[in-house]
Amino acid sequence: MTFKPARLLIALLAVVALPVVAQNIAVVNGKAIPSSRVDAVVKQVVAQGQQADSPQLRELIKKDLIGREVMMQEAEKQGFGKDATVKQQIESARQAIIINVMVGDFLKKNPINDADIKAEYDRFTAQSGDKEYHVRHILLDTEAAAKDVITKLNAGAKFEDLAKDSKDSGSAGNGGDLDWATPSSFPKPFSDAFVALQKGQVAQTPVQTQNGFHVIKVDDIRPAKLPTLDEVKPQIAESLQQKKLQAYQEEMVKKAKIQ
């Protein structure tokens, strides 16, 4: 059988076009939307547990992608793609996407193992100590003012009454109450002062921190109720990941030529 030139051209075009059609969900004003974009969105939706993969879901995504493409083409036609602010935002998004992919690869190649998590947990528990303290404080501007408060307390004044004049507005209205906490929750000079006290005692020397001078009282002491390893394992893993990433970034910064 002999093909005429016109019929041969039509046949060739049909053969070439078949794979293209199969790879695209639509062609909008001459621009193709590949089916791989639908697959990517479906994968993301399914992974988030929002919906199961289905023809209905794919049809909704297809309509959304077509709508987005129409809007994008119109925005480009109106010149928004050339706007300086838009270009800057696009570049920022591009950086974030590429960096996130690199970070994912780095974490995959440098995973946090159970031994790392256990070591960090042991360090945390050792630092926190085996006791919790119910602490009150009164924050003042000067050491002299703090000593004056201590004198009044020793003379029988109530801590809760004097705490009303505390600079710490968050605890002043509650008698200076800082609730239960471990020593690691406070600056070291502050915690060093109250761990030396017995239940009901007031520190006889004001404690200075960057916020001012503190008069400290321990209301009560109890065994620490620290979380178990299983309870804080995800948080520890995330913290260790962030430390690894920070070290990785700092190493790259050191090697970079920055002018």
Side-chain angles (χ1 to χ4, degrees), residues 32-48:
I33 302 177
S35 58
S36 58
R37 288 178 62 184
V38 174
D39 294 335
V41 178
V42 169
K43 183 178 180 181
Q44 183 179 10
V45 171
V46 172
Q48 292 173 349

Side-chain angles (χ1 to χ4, degrees), residues 201-215:
Q201 282 188 326
V202 174
Q204 294 301 297
T205 303
V207 176
Q208 184 178 11
T209 68
Q210 62 181 5
N211 298 315
F213 290 86
H214 305 260
V215 177

Side-chain angles (χ1 to χ4, degrees), residues 103-118:
V103 166
D105 181 69
F106 173 79
L107 293 176
K108 184 177 180 180
K109 293 177 180 177
N110 299 273
I112 303 298
N113 57 48
D114 287 343
D116 295 331
I117 295 174
K118 179 64 166 58

Side-chain angles (χ1 to χ4, degrees), residues 17-188:
L18 281 174
V20 176
V21 172
Q23 292 175 2
N24 299 324
I25 60 166
V27 178
V28 181
N29 295 325
K31 184 170 181 180
I33 302 177
S35 58
S36 58
R37 288 178 62 184
V38 174
D39 294 335
V41 178
V42 169
K43 183 178 180 181
Q44 183 179 10
V45 171
V46 172
Q48 292 173 349
Q50 297 176 0
Q51 280 183 261
D53 189 355
S54 68
Q56 292 82 2
L57 174 63
R58 288 180 174 271
E59 185 61 27
L60 285 173
I61 293 171
K62 174 183 175 180
K63 289 181 179 179
D64 181 64
L65 291 176
I66 290 173
R68 286 172 178 268
E69 182 58 39
V70 171
M71 294 288 286
M72 182 63 180
Q73 289 183 20
E74 180 61 26
E76 290 283 7
K77 188 186 298 183
Q78 294 186 30
F80 290 107
K82 298 178 181 179
D83 183 83
T85 302
V86 172
K87 286 184 177 180
Q88 185 178 15
Q89 291 175 347
I90 291 173
E91 178 57 25
S92 295
R94 175 181 173 274
Q95 286 185 1
I97 292 169
I98 295 174
I99 290 172
N100 285 340
V101 173
M102 182 184 70
V103 166
D105 181 69
F106 173 79
L107 293 176
K108 184 177 180 180
K109 293 177 180 177
N110 299 273
I112 303 298
N113 57 48
D114 287 343
D116 295 331
I117 295 174
K118 179 64 166 58
E120 183 67 10
Y121 177 78
D122 290 343
R123 186 196 66 77
F124 161 73
T125 54
Q127 184 181 17
S128 298
D130 59 354
K131 294 179 182 178
E132 287 183 319
Y133 297 79
H134 191 177
V135 181
R136 295 180 185 270
H137 84 137
I138 301 171
L139 178 62
L140 300 140
D141 285 319
T142 65
E143 184 177 16
K147 287 182 176 179
D148 183 55
V149 167
I150 293 173
T151 299
K152 291 178 180 178
L153 290 170
N154 291 336
K158 291 186 177 181
F159 197 97
E160 290 81 353
D161 293 338
L162 298 181
K164 294 176 182 178
D165 296 325
S166 175
K167 286 181 58 184
D168 180 5
S169 58
S171 65
N174 197 28
D177 193 355
L178 297 177
D179 209 347
W180 288 96
T182 59
S184 60
S185 303
F186 297 92
K188 196 170 187 307

Side-chain angles (χ1 to χ4, degrees), residues 231-259:
E231 289 174 334
V232 294
K233 190 173 182 178
Q235 294 92 319
I236 293 176
E238 183 178 356
S239 175
L240 292 176
Q241 282 184 341
Q242 292 302 319
K243 288 179 181 179
K244 273 195 174 187
L245 285 173
Q246 185 176 355
Y248 181 48
Q249 183 185 49
E250 290 174 353
E251 186 63 28
M252 287 188 290
V253 170
K254 288 180 182 179
K255 294 178 180 179
K257 294 182 180 179
I258 302 173
Q259 298 178 333

